[in-house]
Amino acid sequence: MDYANNSPYKCIIVDDDQLSIDILANFLSKIPDFEVVKTYIDPAKAIMDLRSESDIDFLFLDIRMDISGLDVAKVLRDSVRFLFFVTSYEEYAIDAFGVNGDKFLVKPIIFKKLVTAIDEVLQKEKKQKGYSIT
């Protein structure tokens, strides 16, 4: 797992549960070259703040919030490189991929599964761009 990058991957977390944000942020801080630059407990504020952003690498979204994470994804999808849904509700998996989510992780998050999911999307991107995968 080599995440070598010229600069840290910028990560945003949107979840209406602060403990979930804290756990995910802690996990991401343990991965080299990953930086949580913003977290939001209010999905409406996240939409307003991030609508004009264009350099977000990873957006981690809960689904069941005052404004559904699926609706947040519809607005912000084009502004982010990778979209990960992190939720307790497995039944939303198909809907998550319907809004072009890259990964769907079920809470409670397990660090190893998070790292594997991140590695998969980065390797897939490298392959699509024609880079050799070692």
Side-chain angles (χ1 to χ4, degrees):
M1 158 181 63
D2 178 20
Y3 298 122
N5 189 13
N6 291 338
S7 59
Y9 291 104
K10 293 182 180 179
C11 303
I12 307 285
I13 303 170
V14 183
D15 195 316
D16 61 354
D17 177 59
Q18 188 62 51
L19 180 59
S20 293
I21 289 172
D22 294 345
I23 290 168
L24 183 54
N26 181 48
F27 283 170
L28 291 168
S29 74
K30 294 178 181 189
I31 301 172
D33 298 319
F34 274 69
E35 178 183 0
V36 176
V37 292
K38 294 180 187 172
T39 64
Y40 295 91
I41 202 159
D42 178 357
K45 178 141 177 52
I47 290 171
M48 296 304 291
D49 287 357
L50 302 174
R51 210 178 228 168
S52 62
E53 292 279 333
S54 62
D55 63 345
I56 301 166
D57 294 304
F58 287 85
L59 176 60
F60 295 89
L61 280 176
D62 187 15
I63 290 183
R64 290 188 80 183
M65 302 181 285
D66 289 342
I67 298 174
S68 169
L70 297 168
D71 292 329
V72 174
K74 289 175 189 173
V75 175
L76 298 179
R77 182 58 183 117
D78 291 338
S79 300
V80 302
R81 189 165 159 196
F82 301 111
L83 176 61
F84 278 50
F85 286 98
V86 182
T87 185
S88 298
Y89 303 94
E90 293 179 30
E91 63 268 23
Y92 290 107
I94 292 172
D95 295 330
F97 292 108
V99 293
N100 297 315
D102 292 295
K103 288 292 179 180
F104 188 91
L105 301 171
V106 179
K107 293 176 186 176
I109 295 297
I110 297 167
F111 181 72
K112 184 175 176 148
K113 286 185 179 182
L114 174 65
V115 170
T116 298
I118 288 170
D119 191 47
E120 286 172 359
V121 299
L122 291 174
Q123 292 299 328
K124 181 179 177 183
E125 181 184 68
K126 284 181 183 179
K127 191 174 186 179
Q128 288 172 343
K129 289 184 175 181
Y131 299 129
S132 64
I133 300 173
T134 56

